[in-house]
Amino acid sequence: MKVEFINPFLSSLINVLATMAQTELTPGKPKIKKDEIAQGDISGLIGMVGPQTKGSFSITFDESLALTIMERMLGERPDAINEEVTDMVGEITNMVTGGAKNLLGEKGYEFEMATPIVVSGKNHTITHKCEGAKIIMPFTSPDGDANIEVSFDTL
């Protein structure tokens, strides 16, 4: 998988969380992910398909980070992951993918986005519907960790 597919998702995530939730994330080192077990407590997953490529993107948050983002975005902090937090993670997944779509569009890659799905719970799984390598990129923050996963097949 080309770096040019991954970097737009990284910059979009950093931009969305800084703008919408005054949250700064520090990127770690990307690696190939070999299993489907999520590295956090709640994940948004979205599929993408276009003439040149198909793929999927997911973002997983530790519960503590998801609750902090909720508090910063909406002014309320639930005690645990609930329906509102699930909706927020779906919306963040949409915003990050939309931002990446715009950046990739500038490079000539066009794709349509599906509706995101959100899964939560300890050791939940994320299944990417493509054959390409799954790249996982960890992020840290004082409020908890996040991980993004990107997987693309070039057609």
Side-chain angles (χ1 to χ4, degrees):
M1 183 186 325
K2 300 176 185 170
V3 170
E4 67 185 322
F5 283 130
I6 300 168
N7 286 341
F9 291 94
L10 306 183
S11 14
S12 184
L13 172 65
I14 289 169
N15 179 47
V16 165
L17 289 184
T19 306
M20 302 297 295
Q22 301 75 49
T23 299
E24 302 248 345
L25 294 178
T26 304
K29 186 176 179 195
K31 60 186 176 209
I32 303 286
K33 186 173 181 209
K34 304 285 189 193
D35 61 17
E36 295 186 343
I37 297 175
Q39 301 294 308
D41 301 311
I42 184 166
S43 301
L45 173 67
I46 191 165
M48 300 161 282
V49 66
Q52 309 101 324
T53 188
K54 70 172 184 165
S56 56
F57 163 78
S58 72
I59 178 163
T60 302
F61 296 101
D62 285 351
E63 181 177 26
S64 59
L65 180 56
L67 298 178
T68 298
I69 292 169
M70 177 85 171
E71 182 177 26
R72 290 177 181 163
M73 285 179 74
L74 301 174
E76 59 184 66
R77 184 183 182 96
D79 294 329
I81 292 170
N82 61 19
E83 189 174 330
E84 286 82 19
V85 176
T86 300
D87 289 347
M88 177 200 69
V89 169
E91 191 52 42
I92 289 172
T93 305
N94 250 342
M95 288 188 283
V96 171
T97 307
K101 178 181 178 179
N102 291 339
L103 293 169
L104 286 165
E106 293 169 5
K107 296 178 181 177
Y109 295 102
E110 298 295 327
F111 59 84
E112 297 300 316
M113 299 170 11
T115 302
I117 59 167
V118 179
V119 185
S120 63
K122 298 282 182 205
N123 295 320
H124 66 273
T125 58
I126 302 169
T127 304
H128 294 275
K129 302 289 187 194
C130 40
E131 304 298 317
K134 295 179 287 199
I135 305 298
I136 185 168
M137 178 78 180
F139 291 86
T140 57
S141 84
D143 303 300
D145 297 339
N147 289 275
I148 64 173
E149 295 179 22
V150 182
S151 183
F152 274 103
D153 291 339
T154 305
L155 305 178

